[in-house]
Amino acid sequence: MATRLLLLAASALIPIALSHQAVAQQRPRAAQPAPSARSAGEMVRAIDVVGNQRIEADTIRSYMLLQPGDAYDPDRMDRSLRTLFATGLFRDVQITRDGDRIRVQVEENPIVNRVAFEGNSRVSDDLLRAEVALRPRAVFTPQQATTDRQRILDLYARRGRFAARVEPKVIQLDQNRVDVVFEISEGEAALVSRVNFVGNTAFSDSRLRDVIATREQAWYRILSTSDIYDPERLAFDRELLRRYYLRQGYADVQITGSTAELAPDRSGFFVTFTIDEGVRYQVGQVAITSTLRGVDTERLRREVPFSEGDWYDGDAVERAVESLSDAVGLTGVPFVEVRPRVTRDREARKVDITFEIAEGSRVYVERIDITGNSRTADRVIRREFRLAEGDPFNAAQVRRSRQRIRDLGYFANVDIQAQTGSRPDRTVLTTTVTERPTGEISLGGGFSTDAGLLADFGIRERNILGTGVDARLQALLAQRRSQVDISVTDPAFMDRNLSVGVDAFLLQRDLQDIASYSERRVGGALRAGYEFNEYLRQAWTYSLVNRNVYDVQPDASRFIREQTGRTLLSQIGQTLTYDRRDSRIEPRSGYVVRLGTDFAGLGGDVNYVRLRGDVATYFPLERYFGDPDYVLVIQAGGGLLNPWGGKEERIIDRFFLGGDNLRGFEQAGVGPRDTVSNDPLGGRLIWTQTTELRFPLPLPQEIGLLGRAFVDVGALTDTPVTGPGVADDSSPRVGAGIGVSWRTPVGLINIDLAQAVVKKPYDQTQFLRFGFGTRF
């Protein structure tokens, strides 16, 4: 009886509960409000998904924290809602409960059909696409479009265009797709209107403006970006200023601030650097101490590039540390550490410097890893390392290895990092390179005093198939000179310290205005070279050349008319070079010595031995003028030609003087001459000497103008021909003048104005020497 009463009561309550449930389901909400304790524990029997087009229902169910068979939990239901929104796949999600079933209704985000850019001319579409995250076939969200808009604005800001505006437009397409178009108004570049310095007394504002990389707005900087405001460049400028002051002896300098104020119209910036210079120090006592056996500290003093009384130079101290490390390492000491101890005497304004040489940590190279070289073979990079796996770690050799890899010209960036290896006494050298194109096609034109109007074409690949082999084809066509060269060079033949190359060439010169004849040379050469060490190298060349002296004028010297015809030259030569310059391209310090020998007579029609030699020394004058572009260059050279075997040399084998090697005189304007026909005859003995001061001109540095003042001295004598009218005077000639080199965006222009100071009446002089050339 009690059981029946309970059943009747339950049946009466069920309709009431159902009616409350139906009313609750009519409320618009994303998730069901917390039910009674009784309904919270009921089992979920199914999850129904509606509204999905691309995304599978099972994929949506996988994001749910409630699954069929679980007890209903309103908290897990709310978290499921948040999880679905967090996927970024849906524009709207609603979750409702229908008895023991859960209904998930979704509205999917559209798919990106296309991303386009309109209004951009200063920044290419490719750069903009790399900056944004939206991609075709990706899910579109308004948040991502907003983020991409800001990334584009940041890109333009880095290029100084702070007035740029970007508006993303969404174009609705069928099948729930959209086109995203970023409408861009680039605005004008915010240039640097003025650069000011506060606190500087030792150096003028104009001098410090030449030190930093940021430049003021000027009309001639239309091809430069240095006058566009860049916050990263501003931080770099602070370091440039600090290092400049350190080089000039201001050891306490501090760059306390750098600010950039945007003009109200957002058209330009006013940049201000605040400097606390401190006092200028001279070098006091310089000492070298060592705890290593067998190290002669007195002999090491020559590695220190300064002495007592010089102005303190922070960069020179760093160079001294590297030089001392290298010098001690060459004595066979594997682990060296050089620590400079700098003691300031602020009252006397002197700096005492002690270089402490001690044994460094015993660390060995465990492995050399190379990354980033998708094209260049590992072995091409490894052969430039000055240390191998298993060798003692040497920081100086690592620096040298980095420089040698950079000098290959195959990479835009080279970075070598030493990382801890498998044990504390092991290190791994991780080398990261960024490759750059090594092939080039060049077209060029210009004018030179010697060749006249000229045009040239070249094609070159400096790293064939990543092997390091260099191949080149060069053709030059000029009014008075035509030349075709083909060469192939393997700088490390069979991965050895051996450079091997082969050349083929055709050269034709019109010397009618100089010596009343023309010449043509057709031939080839085999080359081989090797290095004894970092500074000393030797190169050998065997040449086989067919020469032809033709088109000799009837009124030419009889000594030239006798030279008419073809001859075959078979010659072997060597050049020994000792190079201690800081740079082979633009040297500012150091010296280079070359000694060459040519031996002709291995067959052919001429027999001779020709000796050549030259030396050039570069003296930096920065400590006196405060600018690294002040350089004193002293050069000297000479040559001696000696025939043997009863066969005289030809005129085209002799030395000629004038032009490039003796300014103030025409090409071949000095030396033995037939005074009747006024034709140069050449000589067997030549010497030259040049003293040249290179200096910056009082113009903005980025214009690229450098001046020079020079005095050239030289003589040419010992012609094999004698007779009436032959002048052969061995006295020296002197030319002096000034010149300008201009590195323009379209090529290098050289202009020399020289006066022949000491000359003979029959010498041919030349006041203006001009050369222009470009490649693109």
Side-chain angles (χ1 to χ4, degrees), residues 276-457:
D276 182 3
E277 293 181 331
V279 299
R280 192 179 190 187
Y281 291 87
Q282 287 182 305
V283 176
Q285 295 182 355
V286 179
I288 302 176
T289 63
S290 174
T291 60
L292 300 177
R293 292 182 179 180
V295 175
D296 188 349
T297 56
E298 289 301 320
R299 294 186 61 183
L300 291 175
R301 291 187 67 88
R302 63 186 181 185
E303 302 294 335
V304 179
F306 51 82
S307 57
E308 185 175 353
D310 292 344
W311 292 113
Y312 172 78
D313 184 344
D315 284 356
V317 174
E318 294 181 7
R319 294 195 301 269
V321 170
E322 295 181 5
S323 298
L324 289 171
S325 299
D326 294 347
V328 176
L330 291 175
T331 63
V333 180
F335 305 101
V336 181
E337 183 179 5
V338 180
R339 293 187 298 268
R341 181 161 50 84
V342 179
T343 305
R344 293 181 177 86
D345 185 346
R346 289 183 169 82
E347 292 184 0
R349 296 188 178 184
K350 288 190 174 182
V351 175
D352 296 334
I353 305 172
T354 301
F355 295 97
E356 300 174 345
I357 303 175
E359 184 178 10
S361 302
R362 291 182 172 270
V363 179
Y364 296 86
V365 177
E366 179 179 6
R367 195 173 66 252
I368 298 177
D369 293 338
I370 301 174
T371 61
N373 55 319
S374 59
R375 182 169 179 265
T376 304
D378 277 9
R379 60 183 175 84
V380 174
I381 302 173
R382 288 184 183 276
R383 67 195 184 197
E384 300 301 325
F385 272 88
R386 300 296 91 186
L387 67 176
E389 294 168 346
D391 287 351
F393 175 79
N394 187 308
Q397 297 289 14
V398 172
R399 289 192 298 269
R400 181 57 182 162
S401 300
R402 182 190 302 115
Q403 186 60 47
R404 287 178 63 92
I405 296 172
R406 288 174 177 170
D407 289 345
L408 291 174
Y410 307 157
F411 309 107
N413 186 52
V414 179
D415 182 54
I416 302 178
Q417 295 292 333
Q419 300 173 342
T420 303
S422 59
R423 294 188 300 178
D425 63 343
R426 297 290 186 271
T427 186
V428 176
L429 297 180
T430 301
T431 305
T432 305
V433 299
T434 303
E435 292 188 311
R436 65 181 179 187
T438 55
E440 60 186 46
I441 296 178
S442 61
L443 297 173
F447 175 83
S448 74
T449 309
D450 294 337
L453 292 174
L454 59 90
D456 71 297
F457 166 79

Side-chain angles (χ1 to χ4, degrees), residues 475-487:
L476 171 70
L477 178 63
Q479 287 179 296
R480 295 184 291 275
R481 181 186 180 99
S482 297
Q483 185 170 353
V484 177
D485 291 292
I486 301 174
S487 69

Side-chain angles (χ1 to χ4, degrees), residues 339 377 510 686:
R339 293 187 298 268
D510 181 354
I686 186 175

